Amino acid sequence: MEEINDTRLKEIQELSNTIQDLDAKVNIEEVIKNNVSIFEHEKIKYRLRKLTFEEKLELINFKGKKYLELVKNKEYLFEKEWIKIYKEREIDIEYKEKQIKLLSSQIKNWQLKLAVVNLPEEIKEVEQEITELRKKQIDYHIEISELMKYSIENKLNYLVQIYTLSIILEKQVEKEKYERVFKTFEELEKNTNNDLLAKATRIASIFMFLPEGDSL
Amino acid sequence: MIKELKKIARSSRWISLYRLSKEHSGIHLFNNTQELSDLQLIFLNWLNNYEEIIIDIVNKRTNLQIEDLEDDLRVEAYLYWKSQQKNDINKNEVKHGRR
């Protein structure tokens, strides 16, 4: 488990560096105003945009179909089933979730203190406590998401995000004209340009163009 | 990213624009006026948060100073403390039959 965590932490660190790198390159203010993020990959301009209302409806249909497929497929398990399996292997996810809640309430107590302290050394001390508790909370979150990555919920979330990407990723064809890179979801599934997809996924996640969890 | 978004939201330019957009219906913050994205909603929330804190600072209702707006932990702590204060007031009003 510790080993998995280290690998995951490394990945997160790399992602964090990429995000910082992207932050520097992408004009966030423009994305806030226009809901469009333009980026370059191998000297070609691409853009990502938010979904339209009609596309959101299309996505809900897709989500429903995929959910049914996953539920019917006995190879996939719900998070609750994974929790049971892990418990048999003495990995207690419910305990970890309780710890997250406990840490959250501890953080809130420290926040109430931070709001009223005045002295710089007191402020520093309380801020350190909050930062430490948040780190512990993040560790638990990483651990749980690692353990749950093969669940139906996670798989569905992944498929919805990839489907979204197939709709919102566009390539510049003329100065002001962009066209979808993947005309269909199937086309994206066959795609071999993993670098482009990885980059587009990161940018789309940063700017919340990809739906998360039950947000649909 | 959220750190950068907060930085933009607390800039005097955006705070002024936000105030103006509330007073004048012809002034829009974004190119779209409907179907705001999640990012825009979060941004609006932070514009509102910073505007409220600035008002509290001006009215000396908080120990925070304008430069403390850059300290995300203190800002979050203040917002949470303020929400708790509001909850307590509401609970008291309900208890004393004022609502």
Side-chain angles (χ1 to χ4, degrees):
Chain A
M1 193 63 228
E2 202 54 43
E3 207 176 313
I4 294 170
N5 244 345
D6 285 350
T7 318
R8 185 81 180 121
L9 280 171
K10 251 184 213 168
E11 279 173 21
I12 287 167
Q13 189 53 51
E14 277 169 25
L15 180 62
S16 162
N17 292 341
T18 317
I19 290 168
Q20 281 170 18
D21 189 34
L22 286 168
D23 271 358
K25 286 176 191 161
V26 180
N27 188 339
I28 296 168
E29 219 169 326
E30 282 305 308
V31 183
I32 293 168
K33 280 196 282 189
N34 305 321
N35 285 316
V36 171
S37 172
I38 295 172
F39 67 96
E40 251 188 47
H41 181 72
E42 290 169 358
K43 294 182 181 167
I44 297 171
K45 265 191 184 174
Y46 292 90
R47 80 173 182 189
L48 289 155
R49 57 170 177 82
K50 93 177 173 85
L51 288 168
T52 63
F53 181 70
E54 290 74 21
E55 287 164 349
K56 273 186 191 168
L57 294 179
E58 183 187 327
L59 197 60
I60 289 169
N61 280 337
F62 171 82
K63 190 176 179 180
K65 275 182 205 160
K66 285 292 162 188
Y67 181 69
L68 190 63
E69 273 176 37
L70 291 169
V71 173
K72 279 183 175 174
N73 189 336
K74 294 272 162 53
E75 282 181 19
Y76 292 107
L77 303 174
F78 285 106
E79 283 184 354
K80 276 186 182 170
E81 293 171 288
W82 277 109
I83 291 172
K84 271 186 196 166
I85 292 169
Y86 281 126
K87 208 159 198 172
E88 285 163 17
R89 303 287 297 262
E90 293 178 0
I91 299 169
D92 194 343
I93 291 180
E94 281 164 340
Y95 167 80
K96 294 178 200 297
E97 282 170 346
K98 274 182 196 156
Q99 289 305 110
I100 290 174
K101 280 188 186 158
L102 183 70
L103 286 163
S104 178
S105 99
Q106 288 172 352
I107 289 169
K108 282 177 181 168
N109 286 337
W110 281 108
Q111 281 183 316
L112 292 178
K113 283 182 193 165
L114 181 59
V116 291
V117 292
N118 283 320
L119 297 171
E121 57 270 28
E122 279 180 326
I123 293 169
K124 200 178 166 192
E125 196 184 313
V126 180
E127 286 194 336
Q128 267 174 356
E129 288 287 345
I130 294 174
T131 307
E132 282 302 311
L133 293 171
R134 283 205 172 146
K135 270 185 200 158
K136 284 183 192 167
Q137 224 182 8
I138 290 169
D139 285 347
Y140 276 120
H141 276 297
I142 293 169
E143 235 180 282
I144 294 173
S145 80
E146 194 60 42
L147 290 163
M148 288 299 175
K149 71 178 175 187
Y150 302 110
S151 69
I152 286 180
E153 291 89 339
N154 213 25
K155 176 81 181 166
L156 185 65
N157 196 29
Y158 170 76
L159 289 170
V160 165
Q161 295 203 340
I162 292 293
Y163 189 80
T164 308
L165 206 62
S166 77
I167 300 172
I168 65 170
L169 179 62
E170 297 173 332
K171 184 173 151 181
Q172 189 181 44
V173 284
E174 282 169 37
K175 201 177 177 208
E176 296 296 330
K177 201 178 166 195
Y178 285 81
E179 274 177 7
R180 269 174 76 159
V181 175
F182 307 104
K183 300 283 178 280
T184 60
F185 175 63
E186 290 70 30
E187 211 176 288
L188 182 145
E189 280 184 307
K190 284 178 202 154
N191 163 69
T192 49
N193 193 346
N194 289 329
D195 285 351
L196 170 66
L197 272 190
K199 195 170 183 177
T201 309
R202 278 183 207 136
I203 297 172
S205 310
I206 294 169
F207 294 119
M208 298 170 201
F209 290 140
L210 300 179
E212 289 267 347
D214 290 329
S215 65
L216 269 181
Chain B
M1 216 290 293
I2 292 292
K3 213 173 167 60
E4 193 59 33
L5 181 133
K6 286 181 186 174
K7 196 176 164 185
I8 297 168
R10 65 176 173 258
S11 67
S12 52
R13 194 172 80 87
W14 273 97
I15 293 284
S16 308
L17 202 60
Y18 178 58
R19 281 180 186 153
L20 284 171
S21 75
K22 287 203 292 185
E23 289 161 14
H24 307 281
S25 57
I27 296 177
H28 304 298
L29 296 175
F30 315 123
N31 286 351
N32 54 315
T33 51
Q34 290 175 329
E35 284 186 50
L36 299 184
S37 65
D38 291 346
L39 190 74
Q40 288 173 329
L41 290 172
I42 291 171
F43 185 66
L44 268 182
N45 182 45
W46 278 106
L47 280 175
N48 190 53
N49 285 339
Y50 285 121
E51 196 208 18
E52 272 191 29
I53 300 174
I54 290 169
I55 292 170
D56 288 349
I57 292 172
V58 171
N59 292 322
K60 300 196 186 323
R61 287 198 287 252
T62 169
N63 294 326
L64 290 177
Q65 304 294 314
I66 289 292
E67 58 271 22
D68 296 327
L69 293 181
E70 285 171 32
D71 186 336
D72 287 343
L73 285 179
R74 286 190 79 191
V75 166
E76 278 171 45
Y78 178 68
L79 290 170
Y80 178 62
W81 175 84
K82 204 177 158 183
S83 73
Q84 291 304 104
Q85 297 286 105
K86 273 187 195 166
N87 282 349
D88 290 348
I89 291 168
N90 288 343
K91 274 181 200 163
N92 269 335
E93 281 182 353
V94 170
K95 200 176 163 187
H96 295 101
R98 284 185 211 132
R99 302 189 105 204

